[in-house]
C-alpha cells in the first residue's frame, strides 16, 4: 500500500484499527511508521468493556491503556478511540466523564470518535437518543477531550455499519 510501485498511499493517510490486542500494539509502536492507530474501546472500564467486547477478558482495559501509552510515547502520534454508543448501555454522561478521566489520567493525546450504534434485528442494542448523543459529546469536549460524532449514512436502507453483515447472514440462514 505504501510502496511507490504499489498504491503509493502516504502512511499518514492509513489507519490501523484494533480491538486491543496488546502484544500487537507494542509491536506496532516499535515499527516506527507514520500510520495512524485507532482502538475500538466502547466502554470506559473493564467491567462494561468485558460485557461488550469479549477480547477484554484476554487483554484487560488497563493493559490496553498501558500499551497505547507506550505507542504514544514511542511515536508521538494521536490515538483515535472508537466508541459505539449503545442506548442504555454505555451512553450516559457518567460514562463520558469516566472516559475523559481515564484519558486525562493517562495523559493521552486522543480523539474520541462517537459512533451511534445502528439497529440490527439480531441484537438487543438500541440507538442512543439524539439528545443523549449530544450530551455525551459535550461532556467530553467540556473536559478537554477532542471528539466527533460520526455522521450516519445508509441506516434508512439497512446499509450502515454492521447492518450489511446482518442482512447477509440473515439471507444465508434461509
Amino acid at each position: 500500500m505504501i510502496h511507490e510501485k504499489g498504491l503509493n498511499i502516504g502512511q499518514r493517510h492509513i489507519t490501523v484499527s484494533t480491538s486491543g490486542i496488546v502484544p500487537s500494539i507494542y509491536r506496532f509502536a516499535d515499527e516506527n511508521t507514520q500510520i495512524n492507530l485507532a482502538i475500538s474501546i466502547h466502554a470506559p472500564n473493564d467491567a462494561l468493556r468485558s460485557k461488550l467486547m469479549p477480547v477484554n477478558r484476554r487483554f484487560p482495559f488497563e493493559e490496553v491503556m498501558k500499551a497505547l501509552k507506550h505507542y504514544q510515547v514511542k511515536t508521538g502520534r494521536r490515538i483515535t478511540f472508537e466508541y459505539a454508543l449503545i442506548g442504555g448501555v454505555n451512553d450516559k454522561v457518567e460514562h463520558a466523564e469516566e472516559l475523559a478521566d481515564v484519558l486525562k489520567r493517562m495523559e493521552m493525546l486522543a480523539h474520541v470518535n462517537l459512533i451511534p450504534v445502528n439497529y440490527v434485528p439480531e441484537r438487543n442494542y438500541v440507538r442512543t437518543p439524539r439528545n443523549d448523543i449530544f450530551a455525551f459529546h459535550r461532556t467530553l469536549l467540556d473536559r478537554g477531550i477532542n471528539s466527533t460524532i460520526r455522521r450516519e449514512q445508509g441506516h434508512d436502507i439497512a446499509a450502515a455499519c454492521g447492518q450489511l453483515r446482518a442482512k447477509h447472514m440473515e439471507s444465508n440462514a434461509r
Side-chain angles (χ1 to χ4, degrees), residues 49-167:
R49 192 165 189 265
S50 288
K51 289 178 186 175
L52 297 174
M53 300 180 67
V55 70
N56 195 68
R57 294 182 203 119
R58 175 74 173 93
F59 300 107
F61 186 75
E62 287 301 318
E63 286 183 32
V64 171
M65 295 305 289
K66 286 178 187 171
L68 293 172
K69 185 62 181 176
H70 170 81
Y71 167 85
Q72 197 158 71
V73 166
K74 185 92 178 190
T75 67
R77 303 197 55 76
R78 180 180 79 170
I79 298 168
T80 299
F81 290 86
E82 305 287 355
Y83 194 103
L85 291 166
I86 304 167
V89 176
N90 67 347
D91 62 346
K92 303 294 177 233
V93 166
E94 296 80 27
H95 295 123
E97 291 170 342
E98 187 176 358
L99 179 59
D101 290 346
V102 167
L103 296 176
K104 288 283 192 184
R105 184 180 71 244
M106 296 293 293
E107 298 178 350
M108 290 283 195
L109 176 58
H111 180 87
V112 178
N113 190 11
L114 299 174
I115 308 163
V117 73
N118 295 301
Y119 172 72
V120 177
E122 299 82 13
R123 301 273 185 217
N124 292 324
Y125 298 150
V126 296
R127 191 172 190 83
T128 297
R130 187 173 168 89
N131 288 341
D132 292 349
I133 293 169
F134 290 130
F136 197 102
H137 178 60
R138 173 57 46 206
T139 300
L140 292 175
L141 293 175
D142 288 347
R143 289 179 170 248
I145 303 298
N146 291 321
S147 72
T148 54
I149 301 169
R150 182 177 287 172
R151 187 173 63 119
E152 175 190 8
Q153 292 181 316
H155 182 74
D156 57 331
I157 60 170
C161 184
Q163 292 181 316
L164 287 175
R165 180 178 179 273
K167 275 289 195 203

Side-chain angles (χ1 to χ4, degrees), residues 15-33:
T15 300
V16 169
S17 183
T18 179
S19 59
I21 311 300
V22 170
S24 296
I25 295 170
Y26 282 106
R27 188 172 64 243
F28 185 60
D30 294 338
E31 288 178 0
N32 196 28
T33 69

